[in-house]
Amino acid sequence: MGRREDVVPAVSPGARVVELAGRVVTPGLVDTHTHLGATATGSSFVDCRDFYRPIKTVDDLLEILRAESDSAPDQELLHVMASPMQEFRLQERRLPTLAELDDAVPGRAVAVRFGGHISVVNSQTLKLLEISDSTPDPAGGFIARDRRGRATGVLHERAQLPLRPYFLEGSFEEYKTSIESHLLGAAARGVTAIHEMVTNAREIRAYQELEREGRLPLRVDLIVRVIESEISKWAVLELGLQGGFGSDMLRFAGIKMSIDGGFTGRMSAWTPIDGEPCGNHPVIRIEQDELDEVVAAYHDAGIRICVHAIGDRAADMVLHSYEKALIGDDSRDLRHRIEHMGNWLMDETRIRRTKALGVTPVPNPAFMYYLANEANQTLGSPRTEGSFPFRQLLDAGFDLTFGADSPIYWPIDPLRDAAVAISRRAIDGTEVALDQAITNYESLTAVTASSAWLGFSERTSGTIEAGKFADLAVFSGDPLTADGDTLRSMPIVATYVGGREVWSAPTPTPGHDRA
């Protein structure tokens, strides 16, 4: 580190010297909430995400299914990926029906995932899953039914769990390669580390093998889901794992639970309001007693806890559990988290309680960018007023970090998330609580130094300092002076992890010569 005249004499023989020609280097970017392993299925799927493809109507979606139904002939169930809340952007403003799926893909099971919280299936899939009109709703989820009590093919939250095995077809090597490809895609946006939520042994094994084979391009912190998971509730405790176990590239970083449903499926748990938008179905996936028990046990074991809580009721539930667990025991630095907190309804009382506990909210600017208008329609204005209050969180003294909840919804891209925190402008032009905008420096700090701190990595990464890992992102321009829209699309020239170039732009950036 230092001026050219100080650094050049220290360059060892044979070292590679890269002239940046006016480009800007920052610490590597970090996404603190990903579901990469759950997206990297290892098998083919039909892509019907309107954020990726020009799908304007239900028939556009069905036409793709008709054309591509033979793309995965060996799969028992045709796996289709659509976007969250896509029905609000389709001309018909509705999901496809069971009958329409039956007609589009006759004689074959098909499931269309609209994000992570709602799926639509056809008659063949209901038979495959042994779901009938009389099948009871699972705890923490439900099977949509018509007025006559017949299953409509729409599955919410835990009702989707029987689909999971069918999304894991394909060889294990194909699955590993898919994870590696997704990681390299993140590296192309300057990402050097992710905090990855995992739910099963297959995901954990894949990451371990990739690291052992030297194929893990980014640093990965594994956060293990212990409820609604193939991993039992007490498994991590029974194994005696401790936070930080692993290597510099792959390590265990805590546990995950989800209290309520997702807002994209209109199932997050809110305090009722006058003029409640129709179609909301609040779901509590973990009751207070169970939540208290699990939080206390893992806190006592010294393991960091991450809890999904979107609605205000859910947020208050986890704050209650943390308060009980932390009474008389606030000396340990466990950095507990609340996932998705900091998106909506962060009133002064909730902020004060959270800050007093030393708990960190992990909000999602990508929700603002992609779904601001849909959130306004489904949550109602009393809940969305002052949405994504990043200025308020910073002023309250929080270490602000961002999680994209990707890539099942949209790509992993902390640069996009940092940019929308600056511009406050959604993909459709909707402007959101402009008074909550933050500066370029604050936003870039959120996806570098603050995220490194949240991952217990502040001594080794997050800033460019002698003695730390050379985890670096090379920008084609200056991210500290660009406006939000320019920053969001600014090309990354190269990404380094531990001094090793893991990604570089395939062609020179216009206006610059590559060194």
Side-chain angles (χ1 to χ4, degrees):
M1 293 291 298
R3 299 175 60 84
R4 177 182 294 272
E5 56 266 30
D6 300 322
V7 172
V8 169
V11 175
S12 59
R16 180 181 179 216
V17 177
V18 180
E19 295 291 347
L20 293 178
R23 302 181 185 94
V24 173
V25 180
T26 73
L29 310 184
V30 182
D31 191 318
T32 61
H33 187 124
T34 68
H35 296 274
L36 194 150
T39 305
T41 60
S43 60
S44 61
F45 63 83
V46 178
D47 194 343
C48 288
R49 292 173 287 185
D50 65 338
F51 296 137
Y52 294 72
R53 305 183 67 168
I55 298 173
K56 304 297 183 183
T57 68
V58 170
D59 198 55
D60 288 343
L61 187 152
L62 297 172
E63 192 59 38
I64 292 173
L65 298 190
R66 294 186 185 99
E68 299 190 24
S69 62
D70 295 330
S71 63
D74 298 330
Q75 289 186 16
E76 188 173 8
L77 180 143
L78 185 65
H79 178 194
V80 183
M81 293 278 281
S83 297
M85 309 188 89
Q86 192 163 331
E87 68 270 26
F88 288 87
R89 299 181 295 277
L90 294 174
Q91 181 177 304
E92 298 87 347
R93 294 185 62 81
R94 63 171 176 82
L95 297 168
T97 67
L98 178 148
E100 287 171 332
L101 293 179
D102 285 345
D103 180 68
V105 189
R108 185 176 186 182
V110 60
V112 187
R113 302 172 69 189
F114 288 90
H117 300 277
I118 184 170
S119 297
V120 183
V121 305
N122 66 351
S123 300
Q124 194 88 359
T125 305
L126 290 177
K127 292 179 182 177
L128 182 67
L129 303 180
E130 298 182 351
I131 295 175
S132 68
D133 297 342
S134 60
T135 300
D137 291 334
F142 67 94
I143 301 163
R145 307 171 198 274
D146 62 20
R147 293 179 179 178
R148 297 182 180 180
R150 297 175 300 189
T152 65
V154 182
L155 307 177
H156 298 263
E157 298 296 351
R158 286 192 187 182
Q160 300 174 97
L161 292 181
L163 286 169
R164 283 187 180 176
Y166 298 98
F167 297 153
L168 298 177
E169 296 181 357
S171 74
F172 189 64
E173 282 303 315
E174 289 172 328
Y175 178 61
K176 286 163 54 181
T177 298
S178 181
I179 289 178
E180 183 182 21
S181 176
H182 277 285
L183 290 169
L184 289 171
R189 296 304 294 152
V191 177
T192 57
I194 61 172
H195 297 185
E196 168 76 334
M197 313 294 163
V198 292
T199 65
N200 58 69
R202 189 174 192 250
E203 292 176 275
I204 296 172
R205 177 188 162 200
Y207 278 110
Q208 290 180 94
E209 291 195 9
L210 287 170
E211 186 208 17
R212 189 178 304 124
E213 295 163 9
R215 294 167 56 193
L216 198 62
L218 311 183
R219 304 187 195 279
V220 179
D221 281 8
L222 295 178
I223 298 173
V224 180
R225 183 190 284 271
V226 296
I227 297 178
E228 289 185 337
S229 172
E230 295 176 33
I231 299 164
S232 68
K233 182 164 57 178
W234 305 119
V236 175
L237 287 179
E238 291 164 353
L239 287 171
L241 288 177
Q242 289 290 296
F245 175 77
S247 70
D248 291 335
M249 291 299 296
L250 180 68
R251 61 186 181 179
F252 168 65
I255 64 152
K256 161 87 183 298
M257 298 177 283
S258 294
I259 296 178
D260 59 345
F263 93 95
T264 59
R266 303 169 79 173
M267 287 166 283
S268 44
W270 302 90
T271 302
I273 58 173
D274 292 337
E276 181 76 54
C278 64
N280 286 330
H281 303 282
V283 171
I284 296 294
R285 296 153 76 178
I286 306 175
E287 297 295 340
Q288 188 73 62
D289 288 349
E290 183 180 19
L291 182 65
D292 290 349
E293 177 189 28
V294 178
V295 166
Y298 278 95
H299 174 79
D300 289 346
I303 295 172
R304 194 254 292 283
I305 303 163
C306 309
V307 183
H308 157 123
I310 290 183
D312 60 336
R313 284 174 54 203
D316 291 342
M317 286 174 66
V318 67
L319 287 173
H320 174 79
S321 292
Y322 280 147
E323 284 167 342
K324 287 184 66 176
L326 287 164
I327 290 175
D329 183 22
D330 58 359
S331 60
R332 288 184 294 175
D333 183 18
L334 298 181
R335 303 182 195 180
H336 296 320
R337 302 166 34 163
I338 303 180
E339 311 304 306
H340 315 300
M341 190 184 206
N343 293 340
W344 300 286
L345 287 189
M346 288 299 290
D347 61 28
E348 290 296 335
T349 299
R350 202 165 283 118
I351 286 176
R352 188 166 55 251
R353 289 178 71 191
T354 307
K355 190 70 177 67
L357 290 166
V359 170
T360 301
V362 182
N364 315 104
F367 289 8
M368 173 168 48
Y369 181 65
Y370 287 103
L371 299 172
N373 189 38
E374 290 83 349
N376 290 339
Q377 293 180 62
T378 57
L379 300 182
S381 58
R383 294 175 181 145
T384 56
E385 184 178 351
S387 296
F388 306 95
F390 303 147
R391 167 55 52 206
Q392 188 179 13
L393 293 176
L394 281 175
D395 290 348
F398 287 104
D399 288 277
L400 184 64
T401 72
F402 299 144
D405 210 6
S406 298
I408 194 170
Y409 292 153
W410 31 72
I412 294 173
D413 190 353
L415 191 54
R416 172 204 60 219
D417 299 343
V420 73
I422 298 164
S423 72
R424 311 291 300 186
R425 188 175 300 109
I427 193 171
D428 62 358
T430 300
E431 293 185 331
V432 181
L434 295 178
D435 63 325
Q436 292 301 314
I438 60 177
T439 68
N440 291 49
Y441 184 84
E442 290 166 334
S443 198
L444 288 165
T445 298
V447 296
T448 55
S450 293
S451 292
W453 172 84
L454 190 62
F456 297 93
S457 299
E458 68 271 22
R459 294 183 180 179
T460 58
S461 61
T463 56
I464 302 175
E465 297 180 64
K468 290 191 173 184
F469 293 132
D471 292 355
L472 308 170
V474 183
F475 285 72
S476 60
D478 187 351
L480 288 173
T481 60
D483 62 46
D485 291 336
T486 301
L487 179 61
R488 178 173 50 81
S489 57
M490 184 175 288
I492 297 294
V493 176
T495 304
Y496 294 83
V497 175
R500 180 171 64 96
E501 186 179 80
V502 297
W503 186 87
S504 62
T507 57
T509 302
H512 293 289
D513 294 326
R514 285 298 311 280

